[in-house]
Amino acid sequence: MRSYPLLVTVVVGNIISLSSFAANASIQSSGSFTSNGSCEAYQSFRKQTNPDNTQLVNNKQYAIKAINKKEFDWVQILIPNASPAMRWVNKSCGTAQLTDNITTQPSASTSFNTSSKSCNTRNEFDSYVLALTWQPGFCEHFHYKGNKPECTAINDGKLKITNLTLHGLWPNKASCGTKYGYCDRYARLDLSASTIKEIAPWMPNFYYQTKFGEYEWKKHGVCQNLDANDYFLTATKLVEKVDTSAIGQFIKANIGNNVSTASFKKNLISHFGADAVDRISLSCSQGKYLNEVRLNIGKSFNVNNSVQALLESGPKGRPFYGNCHKKIHIEAAGK
């Protein structure tokens, strides 16, 4: 039987592997890695050293040189402009496509479930990601596209945000990674005036327009069964709950300060326990300015449950520190 090169796709949250890699600390490999954000690229992922503060460029493709083990969670890529150019990134920072010569064919019973159709079918998700923004850090340091009137108002001192805000409540399907969404590309957002008023303090774009809400609804919201009003109001209740919890309290107690990610994690473990904190991850602009906290929660969550119970209902995610440095800054509103 002839053997053919086969492209093995590895998607965030689930690994589909057809090859048999040696169980070494570092396994030579090849393929491409497409980033999904501005993650940090380490010279050593164990020591988390990054001598020139290299960050991945969103949606850019990099050449894969190695993986750290068979069931890998770190990928070594080539970043030509970095020094040194060989860097390690967490697999959660994007989508890896490994190219290996496979000498055996998968059995007919093997199910890969990675077609585009399976990743945009309503109500086929298995958990949620609740993404919460620290608005001052996002508005001042994140290189977003276009105009965000809420950021202009915050940076001009006209709007002061001192609470976590809603980025989105995202239905998540492990086998699709970040690609689950757009379950109805023709969907339109129709919210009542009272819903918009209630959402605005927790999603401040709604003070000015509904553009961001329309994007979140079309990409994520339509993949679950709640109608638009219930979906956003449920998400708003979750943001309020997290904002008043140890997560929001730690952030607000340290506005304008530099803190260590280790101290943040230790604080949360003291309130929620290590198992729950394994479902939390941070996101930072340039690796050092906190802009987001993400919580993994179960598909059939109860909005009245405690934050700890919500977290324990969800799957484990990427490491707590995400793409953040060991020391991060919690930005105050206004420049």
PDB file of all heavy atoms in Angstrom, residues 132 162-165 202 236-252 268 271-272 305-307:
ATOM      1  N   LEU A 132     -15.059  38.739  29.445  1.00  0.00           N
ATOM      2  CA  LEU A 132     -15.304  40.010  30.112  1.00  0.00           C
ATOM      3  C   LEU A 132     -14.127  40.951  29.890  1.00  0.00           C
ATOM      4  O   LEU A 132     -12.971  40.560  30.051  1.00  0.00           O
ATOM      5  CB  LEU A 132     -15.504  39.787  31.614  1.00  0.00           C
ATOM      6  CG  LEU A 132     -16.567  38.747  31.991  1.00  0.00           C
ATOM      7  CD1 LEU A 132     -16.653  38.606  33.493  1.00  0.00           C
ATOM      8  CD2 LEU A 132     -17.920  39.140  31.413  1.00  0.00           C
ATOM      9  N   THR A 162     -15.636  51.585  35.719  1.00  0.00           N
ATOM     10  CA  THR A 162     -14.876  50.969  36.812  1.00  0.00           C
ATOM     11  C   THR A 162     -15.419  49.572  37.127  1.00  0.00           C
ATOM     12  O   THR A 162     -15.288  49.080  38.240  1.00  0.00           O
ATOM     13  CB  THR A 162     -14.940  51.840  38.083  1.00  0.00           C
ATOM     14  OG1 THR A 162     -16.311  52.044  38.437  1.00  0.00           O
ATOM     15  CG2 THR A 162     -14.248  53.180  37.860  1.00  0.00           C
ATOM     16  N   ASN A 163     -16.042  48.954  36.139  1.00  0.00           N
ATOM     17  CA  ASN A 163     -16.543  47.588  36.303  1.00  0.00           C
ATOM     18  C   ASN A 163     -16.152  46.772  35.083  1.00  0.00           C
ATOM     19  O   ASN A 163     -15.839  47.318  34.013  1.00  0.00           O
ATOM     20  CB  ASN A 163     -18.069  47.589  36.469  1.00  0.00           C
ATOM     21  CG  ASN A 163     -18.790  48.303  35.328  1.00  0.00           C
ATOM     22  OD1 ASN A 163     -18.998  49.521  35.395  1.00  0.00           O
ATOM     23  ND2 ASN A 163     -19.139  47.573  34.283  1.00  0.00           N
ATOM     24  N   LEU A 164     -16.147  45.476  35.232  1.00  0.00           N
ATOM     25  CA  LEU A 164     -15.956  44.594  34.085  1.00  0.00           C
ATOM     26  C   LEU A 164     -17.128  44.757  33.133  1.00  0.00           C
ATOM     27  O   LEU A 164     -18.261  45.016  33.551  1.00  0.00           O
ATOM     28  CB  LEU A 164     -15.862  43.135  34.540  1.00  0.00           C
ATOM     29  CG  LEU A 164     -14.570  42.736  35.260  1.00  0.00           C
ATOM     30  CD1 LEU A 164     -14.740  41.392  35.959  1.00  0.00           C
ATOM     31  CD2 LEU A 164     -13.395  42.688  34.290  1.00  0.00           C
ATOM     32  N   THR A 165     -16.863  44.633  31.839  1.00  0.00           N
ATOM     33  CA  THR A 165     -17.917  44.767  30.839  1.00  0.00           C
ATOM     34  C   THR A 165     -17.992  43.511  29.980  1.00  0.00           C
ATOM     35  O   THR A 165     -17.090  42.674  29.993  1.00  0.00           O
ATOM     36  CB  THR A 165     -17.686  45.993  29.946  1.00  0.00           C
ATOM     37  OG1 THR A 165     -16.454  45.836  29.231  1.00  0.00           O
ATOM     38  CG2 THR A 165     -17.645  47.269  30.787  1.00  0.00           C
ATOM     39  N   TRP A 202     -23.044  47.623  31.125  1.00  0.00           N
ATOM     40  CA  TRP A 202     -22.225  46.408  31.122  1.00  0.00           C
ATOM     41  C   TRP A 202     -21.674  46.094  29.737  1.00  0.00           C
ATOM     42  O   TRP A 202     -20.838  45.204  29.580  1.00  0.00           O
ATOM     43  CB  TRP A 202     -23.054  45.229  31.649  1.00  0.00           C
ATOM     44  CG  TRP A 202     -23.579  45.520  33.011  1.00  0.00           C
ATOM     45  CD1 TRP A 202     -24.841  45.953  33.342  1.00  0.00           C
ATOM     46  CD2 TRP A 202     -22.846  45.473  34.239  1.00  0.00           C
ATOM     47  NE1 TRP A 202     -24.939  46.160  34.696  1.00  0.00           N
ATOM     48  CE2 TRP A 202     -23.724  45.870  35.276  1.00  0.00           C
ATOM     49  CE3 TRP A 202     -21.529  45.122  34.561  1.00  0.00           C
ATOM     50  CZ2 TRP A 202     -23.328  45.926  36.608  1.00  0.00           C
ATOM     51  CZ3 TRP A 202     -21.137  45.178  35.889  1.00  0.00           C
ATOM     52  CH2 TRP A 202     -22.020  45.578  36.894  1.00  0.00           C
ATOM     53  N   THR A 236     -25.710  39.786  30.756  1.00  0.00           N
ATOM     54  CA  THR A 236     -25.539  40.931  31.641  1.00  0.00           C
ATOM     55  C   THR A 236     -25.556  40.502  33.110  1.00  0.00           C
ATOM     56  O   THR A 236     -24.748  40.973  33.922  1.00  0.00           O
ATOM     57  CB  THR A 236     -26.650  41.966  31.387  1.00  0.00           C
ATOM     58  OG1 THR A 236     -26.521  42.456  30.047  1.00  0.00           O
ATOM     59  CG2 THR A 236     -26.560  43.125  32.357  1.00  0.00           C
ATOM     60  N   LYS A 237     -26.460  39.592  33.462  1.00  0.00           N
ATOM     61  CA  LYS A 237     -26.518  39.084  34.836  1.00  0.00           C
ATOM     62  C   LYS A 237     -25.222  38.374  35.208  1.00  0.00           C
ATOM     63  O   LYS A 237     -24.746  38.469  36.340  1.00  0.00           O
ATOM     64  CB  LYS A 237     -27.708  38.141  34.988  1.00  0.00           C
ATOM     65  CG  LYS A 237     -29.060  38.843  34.958  1.00  0.00           C
ATOM     66  CD  LYS A 237     -30.197  37.834  35.059  1.00  0.00           C
ATOM     67  CE  LYS A 237     -31.555  38.529  34.963  1.00  0.00           C
ATOM     68  NZ  LYS A 237     -32.675  37.557  35.000  1.00  0.00           N
ATOM     69  N   LEU A 238     -24.653  37.648  34.250  1.00  0.00           N
ATOM     70  CA  LEU A 238     -23.395  36.949  34.506  1.00  0.00           C
ATOM     71  C   LEU A 238     -22.258  37.937  34.743  1.00  0.00           C
ATOM     72  O   LEU A 238     -21.430  37.749  35.631  1.00  0.00           O
ATOM     73  CB  LEU A 238     -23.057  36.024  33.329  1.00  0.00           C
ATOM     74  CG  LEU A 238     -23.950  34.797  33.156  1.00  0.00           C
ATOM     75  CD1 LEU A 238     -23.614  34.083  31.850  1.00  0.00           C
ATOM     76  CD2 LEU A 238     -23.806  33.834  34.332  1.00  0.00           C
ATOM     77  N   VAL A 239     -22.215  39.002  33.940  1.00  0.00           N
ATOM     78  CA  VAL A 239     -21.172  40.019  34.124  1.00  0.00           C
ATOM     79  C   VAL A 239     -21.295  40.653  35.506  1.00  0.00           C
ATOM     80  O   VAL A 239     -20.299  40.819  36.224  1.00  0.00           O
ATOM     81  CB  VAL A 239     -21.248  41.124  33.055  1.00  0.00           C
ATOM     82  CG1 VAL A 239     -20.106  42.117  33.236  1.00  0.00           C
ATOM     83  CG2 VAL A 239     -21.199  40.541  31.661  1.00  0.00           C
ATOM     84  N   GLU A 240     -22.504  41.026  35.891  1.00  0.00           N
ATOM     85  CA  GLU A 240     -22.722  41.623  37.210  1.00  0.00           C
ATOM     86  C   GLU A 240     -22.240  40.688  38.318  1.00  0.00           C
ATOM     87  O   GLU A 240     -21.598  41.122  39.282  1.00  0.00           O
ATOM     88  CB  GLU A 240     -24.208  41.919  37.407  1.00  0.00           C
ATOM     89  CG  GLU A 240     -24.756  43.043  36.547  1.00  0.00           C
ATOM     90  CD  GLU A 240     -26.201  43.344  36.888  1.00  0.00           C
ATOM     91  OE1 GLU A 240     -26.449  43.905  37.979  1.00  0.00           O
ATOM     92  OE2 GLU A 240     -27.094  43.019  36.078  1.00  0.00           O
ATOM     93  N   LYS A 241     -22.542  39.408  38.177  1.00  0.00           N
ATOM     94  CA  LYS A 241     -22.170  38.423  39.190  1.00  0.00           C
ATOM     95  C   LYS A 241     -20.655  38.314  39.310  1.00  0.00           C
ATOM     96  O   LYS A 241     -20.091  38.304  40.412  1.00  0.00           O
ATOM     97  CB  LYS A 241     -22.774  37.058  38.830  1.00  0.00           C
ATOM     98  CG  LYS A 241     -22.568  35.976  39.886  1.00  0.00           C
ATOM     99  CD  LYS A 241     -23.177  34.671  39.434  1.00  0.00           C
ATOM    100  CE  LYS A 241     -24.678  34.731  39.399  1.00  0.00           C
ATOM    101  NZ  LYS A 241     -25.282  34.674  40.765  1.00  0.00           N
ATOM    102  N   VAL A 242     -19.958  38.259  38.163  1.00  0.00           N
ATOM    103  CA  VAL A 242     -18.502  38.134  38.186  1.00  0.00           C
ATOM    104  C   VAL A 242     -17.863  39.429  38.684  1.00  0.00           C
ATOM    105  O   VAL A 242     -16.879  39.417  39.412  1.00  0.00           O
ATOM    106  CB  VAL A 242     -17.965  37.761  36.794  1.00  0.00           C
ATOM    107  CG1 VAL A 242     -16.438  37.736  36.791  1.00  0.00           C
ATOM    108  CG2 VAL A 242     -18.510  36.399  36.352  1.00  0.00           C
ATOM    109  N   ASP A 243     -18.447  40.557  38.303  1.00  0.00           N
ATOM    110  CA  ASP A 243     -17.886  41.854  38.698  1.00  0.00           C
ATOM    111  C   ASP A 243     -17.909  42.034  40.217  1.00  0.00           C
ATOM    112  O   ASP A 243     -17.008  42.656  40.786  1.00  0.00           O
ATOM    113  CB  ASP A 243     -18.664  42.982  38.025  1.00  0.00           C
ATOM    114  CG  ASP A 243     -18.070  44.347  38.306  1.00  0.00           C
ATOM    115  OD1 ASP A 243     -16.930  44.595  37.875  1.00  0.00           O
ATOM    116  OD2 ASP A 243     -18.740  45.156  38.976  1.00  0.00           O
ATOM    117  N   THR A 244     -18.932  41.508  40.891  1.00  0.00           N
ATOM    118  CA  THR A 244     -19.018  41.644  42.343  1.00  0.00           C
ATOM    119  C   THR A 244     -18.294  40.516  43.070  1.00  0.00           C
ATOM    120  O   THR A 244     -18.189  40.539  44.295  1.00  0.00           O
ATOM    121  CB  THR A 244     -20.488  41.661  42.811  1.00  0.00           C
ATOM    122  OG1 THR A 244     -21.145  40.457  42.365  1.00  0.00           O
ATOM    123  CG2 THR A 244     -21.210  42.874  42.247  1.00  0.00           C
ATOM    124  N   SER A 245     -17.780  39.542  42.324  1.00  0.00           N
ATOM    125  CA  SER A 245     -17.073  38.406  42.916  1.00  0.00           C
ATOM    126  C   SER A 245     -15.616  38.774  43.190  1.00  0.00           C
ATOM    127  O   SER A 245     -15.178  39.906  42.935  1.00  0.00           O
ATOM    128  CB  SER A 245     -17.131  37.197  41.979  1.00  0.00           C
ATOM    129  OG  SER A 245     -16.209  37.351  40.907  1.00  0.00           O
ATOM    130  N   ALA A 246     -14.856  37.803  43.658  1.00  0.00           N
ATOM    131  CA  ALA A 246     -13.427  38.011  43.939  1.00  0.00           C
ATOM    132  C   ALA A 246     -12.667  38.453  42.695  1.00  0.00           C
ATOM    133  O   ALA A 246     -11.653  39.150  42.798  1.00  0.00           O
ATOM    134  CB  ALA A 246     -12.822  36.734  44.510  1.00  0.00           C
ATOM    135  N   ILE A 247     -13.143  38.070  41.509  1.00  0.00           N
ATOM    136  CA  ILE A 247     -12.467  38.453  40.267  1.00  0.00           C
ATOM    137  C   ILE A 247     -12.531  39.965  40.087  1.00  0.00           C
ATOM    138  O   ILE A 247     -11.515  40.647  39.930  1.00  0.00           O
ATOM    139  CB  ILE A 247     -13.100  37.734  39.053  1.00  0.00           C
ATOM    140  CG1 ILE A 247     -12.952  36.223  39.201  1.00  0.00           C
ATOM    141  CG2 ILE A 247     -12.457  38.215  37.748  1.00  0.00           C
ATOM    142  CD1 ILE A 247     -13.734  35.423  38.167  1.00  0.00           C
ATOM    143  N   GLY A 248     -13.745  40.495  40.108  1.00  0.00           N
ATOM    144  CA  GLY A 248     -13.908  41.939  39.957  1.00  0.00           C
ATOM    145  C   GLY A 248     -13.321  42.721  41.113  1.00  0.00           C
ATOM    146  O   GLY A 248     -12.743  43.800  40.921  1.00  0.00           O
ATOM    147  N   GLN A 249     -13.443  42.176  42.330  1.00  0.00           N
ATOM    148  CA  GLN A 249     -12.915  42.866  43.503  1.00  0.00           C
ATOM    149  C   GLN A 249     -11.400  43.023  43.433  1.00  0.00           C
ATOM    150  O   GLN A 249     -10.861  44.086  43.769  1.00  0.00           O
ATOM    151  CB  GLN A 249     -13.307  42.099  44.767  1.00  0.00           C
ATOM    152  CG  GLN A 249     -14.787  42.190  45.109  1.00  0.00           C
ATOM    153  CD  GLN A 249     -15.177  41.268  46.256  1.00  0.00           C
ATOM    154  OE1 GLN A 249     -14.325  40.675  46.906  1.00  0.00           O
ATOM    155  NE2 GLN A 249     -16.476  41.145  46.490  1.00  0.00           N
ATOM    156  N   PHE A 250     -10.706  41.973  42.992  1.00  0.00           N
ATOM    157  CA  PHE A 250      -9.245  42.053  42.888  1.00  0.00           C
ATOM    158  C   PHE A 250      -8.835  43.096  41.858  1.00  0.00           C
ATOM    159  O   PHE A 250      -7.926  43.899  42.091  1.00  0.00           O
ATOM    160  CB  PHE A 250      -8.666  40.695  42.501  1.00  0.00           C
ATOM    161  CG  PHE A 250      -7.162  40.672  42.435  1.00  0.00           C
ATOM    162  CD1 PHE A 250      -6.413  40.353  43.557  1.00  0.00           C
ATOM    163  CD2 PHE A 250      -6.487  40.987  41.255  1.00  0.00           C
ATOM    164  CE1 PHE A 250      -5.016  40.339  43.512  1.00  0.00           C
ATOM    165  CE2 PHE A 250      -5.098  40.979  41.191  1.00  0.00           C
ATOM    166  CZ  PHE A 250      -4.368  40.657  42.333  1.00  0.00           C
ATOM    167  N   ILE A 251      -9.508  43.096  40.714  1.00  0.00           N
ATOM    168  CA  ILE A 251      -9.177  44.066  39.667  1.00  0.00           C
ATOM    169  C   ILE A 251      -9.405  45.486  40.149  1.00  0.00           C
ATOM    170  O   ILE A 251      -8.535  46.368  40.029  1.00  0.00           O
ATOM    171  CB  ILE A 251     -10.005  43.774  38.397  1.00  0.00           C
ATOM    172  CG1 ILE A 251      -9.561  42.446  37.770  1.00  0.00           C
ATOM    173  CG2 ILE A 251      -9.867  44.914  37.379  1.00  0.00           C
ATOM    174  CD1 ILE A 251     -10.468  41.961  36.651  1.00  0.00           C
ATOM    175  N   LYS A 252     -10.565  45.742  40.733  1.00  0.00           N
ATOM    176  CA  LYS A 252     -10.904  47.101  41.155  1.00  0.00           C
ATOM    177  C   LYS A 252     -10.052  47.582  42.329  1.00  0.00           C
ATOM    178  O   LYS A 252      -9.782  48.775  42.449  1.00  0.00           O
ATOM    179  CB  LYS A 252     -12.400  47.174  41.479  1.00  0.00           C
ATOM    180  CG  LYS A 252     -13.263  47.131  40.225  1.00  0.00           C
ATOM    181  CD  LYS A 252     -14.738  47.201  40.519  1.00  0.00           C
ATOM    182  CE  LYS A 252     -15.308  45.871  40.911  1.00  0.00           C
ATOM    183  NZ  LYS A 252     -16.794  45.887  40.974  1.00  0.00           N
ATOM    184  N   LEU A 268      -7.693  34.183  43.759  1.00  0.00           N
ATOM    185  CA  LEU A 268      -8.916  33.536  43.278  1.00  0.00           C
ATOM    186  C   LEU A 268      -9.031  32.107  43.795  1.00  0.00           C
ATOM    187  O   LEU A 268     -10.136  31.638  44.105  1.00  0.00           O
ATOM    188  CB  LEU A 268      -8.960  33.570  41.753  1.00  0.00           C
ATOM    189  CG  LEU A 268      -9.005  34.969  41.121  1.00  0.00           C
ATOM    190  CD1 LEU A 268      -9.198  34.873  39.623  1.00  0.00           C
ATOM    191  CD2 LEU A 268     -10.102  35.829  41.755  1.00  0.00           C
ATOM    192  N   HIS A 271     -10.637  31.881  47.088  1.00  0.00           N
ATOM    193  CA  HIS A 271     -12.087  32.092  47.097  1.00  0.00           C
ATOM    194  C   HIS A 271     -12.858  30.966  46.408  1.00  0.00           C
ATOM    195  O   HIS A 271     -13.939  30.580  46.859  1.00  0.00           O
ATOM    196  CB  HIS A 271     -12.442  33.418  46.404  1.00  0.00           C
ATOM    197  CG  HIS A 271     -12.086  34.626  47.196  1.00  0.00           C
ATOM    198  ND1 HIS A 271     -10.830  35.204  47.151  1.00  0.00           N
ATOM    199  CD2 HIS A 271     -12.826  35.385  48.057  1.00  0.00           C
ATOM    200  CE1 HIS A 271     -10.816  36.257  47.936  1.00  0.00           C
ATOM    201  NE2 HIS A 271     -12.001  36.399  48.499  1.00  0.00           N
ATOM    202  N   PHE A 272     -12.322  30.466  45.301  1.00  0.00           N
ATOM    203  CA  PHE A 272     -13.070  29.517  44.473  1.00  0.00           C
ATOM    204  C   PHE A 272     -12.526  28.091  44.496  1.00  0.00           C
ATOM    205  O   PHE A 272     -13.229  27.150  44.128  1.00  0.00           O
ATOM    206  CB  PHE A 272     -13.087  29.983  43.007  1.00  0.00           C
ATOM    207  CG  PHE A 272     -13.633  31.360  42.789  1.00  0.00           C
ATOM    208  CD1 PHE A 272     -12.974  32.264  41.969  1.00  0.00           C
ATOM    209  CD2 PHE A 272     -14.813  31.766  43.387  1.00  0.00           C
ATOM    210  CE1 PHE A 272     -13.475  33.538  41.745  1.00  0.00           C
ATOM    211  CE2 PHE A 272     -15.322  33.042  43.181  1.00  0.00           C
ATOM    212  CZ  PHE A 272     -14.648  33.921  42.365  1.00  0.00           C
ATOM    213  N   ASN A 305     -26.571  30.452  40.017  1.00  0.00           N
ATOM    214  CA  ASN A 305     -25.514  29.753  40.737  1.00  0.00           C
ATOM    215  C   ASN A 305     -24.366  30.698  41.080  1.00  0.00           C
ATOM    216  O   ASN A 305     -24.201  31.752  40.464  1.00  0.00           O
ATOM    217  CB  ASN A 305     -24.982  28.582  39.917  1.00  0.00           C
ATOM    218  CG  ASN A 305     -25.903  27.377  39.963  1.00  0.00           C
ATOM    219  OD1 ASN A 305     -26.841  27.333  40.753  1.00  0.00           O
ATOM    220  ND2 ASN A 305     -25.644  26.395  39.119  1.00  0.00           N
ATOM    221  N   SER A 306     -23.547  30.288  42.037  1.00  0.00           N
ATOM    222  CA  SER A 306     -22.364  31.066  42.395  1.00  0.00           C
ATOM    223  C   SER A 306     -21.350  31.031  41.264  1.00  0.00           C
ATOM    224  O   SER A 306     -21.411  30.155  40.376  1.00  0.00           O
ATOM    225  CB  SER A 306     -21.724  30.483  43.656  1.00  0.00           C
ATOM    226  OG  SER A 306     -21.194  29.185  43.397  1.00  0.00           O
ATOM    227  N   VAL A 307     -20.408  31.956  41.274  1.00  0.00           N
ATOM    228  CA  VAL A 307     -19.349  31.969  40.261  1.00  0.00           C
ATOM    229  C   VAL A 307     -18.564  30.661  40.316  1.00  0.00           C
ATOM    230  O   VAL A 307     -18.219  30.084  39.275  1.00  0.00           O
ATOM    231  CB  VAL A 307     -18.419  33.180  40.456  1.00  0.00           C
ATOM    232  CG1 VAL A 307     -17.195  33.075  39.552  1.00  0.00           C
ATOM    233  CG2 VAL A 307     -19.171  34.468  40.175  1.00  0.00           C
TER     234      VAL A 307
END
